[in-house]
Amino acid sequence: MSSEKAAPAILICNPDSKTSSEISKCLKENNYSTVQVHNGIEAQIKMSKQKFHTVILDMDTQKHTAFEVIRYIKFNSPSSRIIFTYENQKLMDELNSDNDFAFKLGIHFVMKRPLDFKALLNNIESNNLAQSWKNVKKIADVVNETEKSIQDEEFTRIAINQYAHSELAIFDLYLRIGQNRYLKILYKGCSFDNNKIEEYQKKKVEFLYFKTKDRGIYINFVNNLIEKYLDQGKINKRELLNLNKGLVEKYVEEIFFKGLNPELYEEGKKLAENLYRTIKASKSLGRYLDQFEEEEKNGTSYIFVTSIFAGAITHQLEWAGPVAHKYVIEGSLLHDIGKIKLSEDVRYTKLESMTPEQFKEYKEHPLWGMQMLAESSFISEQVRQITYQHHEWVNGEGFPNGLFGLRIFPLAKIVSLAGDFSEFIHEKKVSPLVAIKEFIADRETIFRYDSSCIKSLITSFIY
Amino acid sequence: MNMMKENEGALLLVDDEELILDIVANLLEDKVNKIYKAKNGEEGLELIKKHSDIVCTVCDIRMPIMDGIEMIKHVRKLGNEMPFIFYTGHGNEDLMLEVVKYGAFDFINKPGLEDLEEIFLSGMVMGEKIYNLPDDQKENSALEFNRLLEKLGKN
Ligand SMILES: [Fe+2]
């Protein structure tokens, strides 16, 4: 795996070769690689061999028709974006009589020919997380910091010691100095001034802020960075875990507040792969986790810890191979997504203080999560079932279905243990190493979980 | 994971599309001693009753005569907890909610048959294990946990 990825590939499918080479020329000038085809069958063959970021598909495509090609994309390459081009306005009006033609077919953008190349490029660019930070142009450094009044809702924050950066600032960076008041400390395109950040750290500044609209770009950037570090094997494990932690936090925020789309899901898969490689590279993972200072309880750190333990358990399990691994970590990242639908008073009430009604509602979150994931065809059944069954216990006392051991989906048993154990750590406010001993000491507790999973959890602290 | 043909047990494939039956049987034939094929749940159920060497079933959800849900319900009524691996595809979500109540060991996402081999192999291994579960497994595990914890203490 190399960290320097080739330019994102675009497939142009247009029966008219003049149009198609014009599009290709424009894209190539902007650092994209392109493949041109002139009918549907060729398009499908190309897609079966290579992954495309975007497919620019013309309505007049024949031998398979444009609609057959769209169907193919939805099933086989769901993360590819579709830009649909057309010339015949009358036909388009007929197709689009309900005004939801594009939505129904899952088309991302519709354009009339002759094409406005600038608009085309803009659309691709704004939907390409990687290109957004790779194409940042250097500007002259701005020394002064400017105070801005911007609504708090527009920002997301990250712990200053978790912020990952490159040579140039990939977006504007701020400090929060009061309600709706921010200090812009770095401009997009300026050299990243590490001394400045360190100065702020000395002054006990805890968080950096950036615009929420840039969060996707940040996720993609950090994902790439972690991959690079893993390839080179140079970074220390604690730093690596720290980076992963910050990334999971931003990823979960993005999903919880903006929803899941194929591009973000691809980031999640890569994140899962990175987490898995981090876990494999970390001997005695429990020790590393042990070094994390106890933080205020927040959902995202719970998800990070759960994903790490679920990955570590899977790594030790005899019966779980690489496919299982992939699903377990993806599932760990998403398993509590149904909590978004809980009413606020339930979401922020501790389990033991819930009224029977509140607990009844709480028990719906696995089903709600499963249903939310069912809306996206690109999510695999394993991930959905982990979400649905992550509160089942092997003694049959879990929910929503009270399934017994053998009937619980095995990968959900892993996430069930990892999740409950992470919860236990938070509740008891003790380190994982102390927690594991207390956790296992309770005989009632251990009958809730698969014994091979418990063994693997303990083992992950030993070796 | 070991590539094995040491699987003593047999595999049952249930699907109303014969093409899929053939493709999957072809993919797995050198990994297992015997493969039985059935075109719907009813045929599958009969085969399970007749052949006690079947330890794992790969099963479609939607089928004529008897679907995957009805089939697994009947198999469980026989007291048989063998692993069931279900094909799933977009549009089957409601059926999946129902079928997992009877125990789904794993899933194969249609239309791609990716991951088939690993999923199938762990299903076979689990299927064979189920018949050899010791009764005092829980006690054994508790002892083993303690041993591991002691080791942890020394670390
Ligand atoms: Fe949960």
Side-chain angles (χ1 to χ4, degrees), chain A residues 304-319:
Chain A
F304 172 72
V305 177
T306 302
S307 307
I308 289 286
F309 280 120
I313 294 169
T314 317
H315 187 50
Q316 300 290 342
L317 276 174
E318 267 171 40
W319 52 262

Side-chain angles (χ1 to χ4, degrees), chain A residues 336 339 362 365 390-391:
Chain A
D336 259 345
K339 283 191 174 171
Y362 173 81
H365 82 267
H390 76 272
H391 282 296

Side-chain angles (χ1 to χ4, degrees), chain A residues 287-314:
Chain A
R287 306 267 161 190
Y288 288 106
L289 289 176
D290 228 32
Q291 295 167 18
F292 276 108
E293 307 90 53
E294 200 38 52
E295 293 167 57
E296 94 271 32
K297 184 174 167 138
N298 70 34
T300 53
S301 124
Y302 157 79
I303 288 174
F304 172 72
V305 177
T306 302
S307 307
I308 289 286
F309 280 120
I313 294 169
T314 317

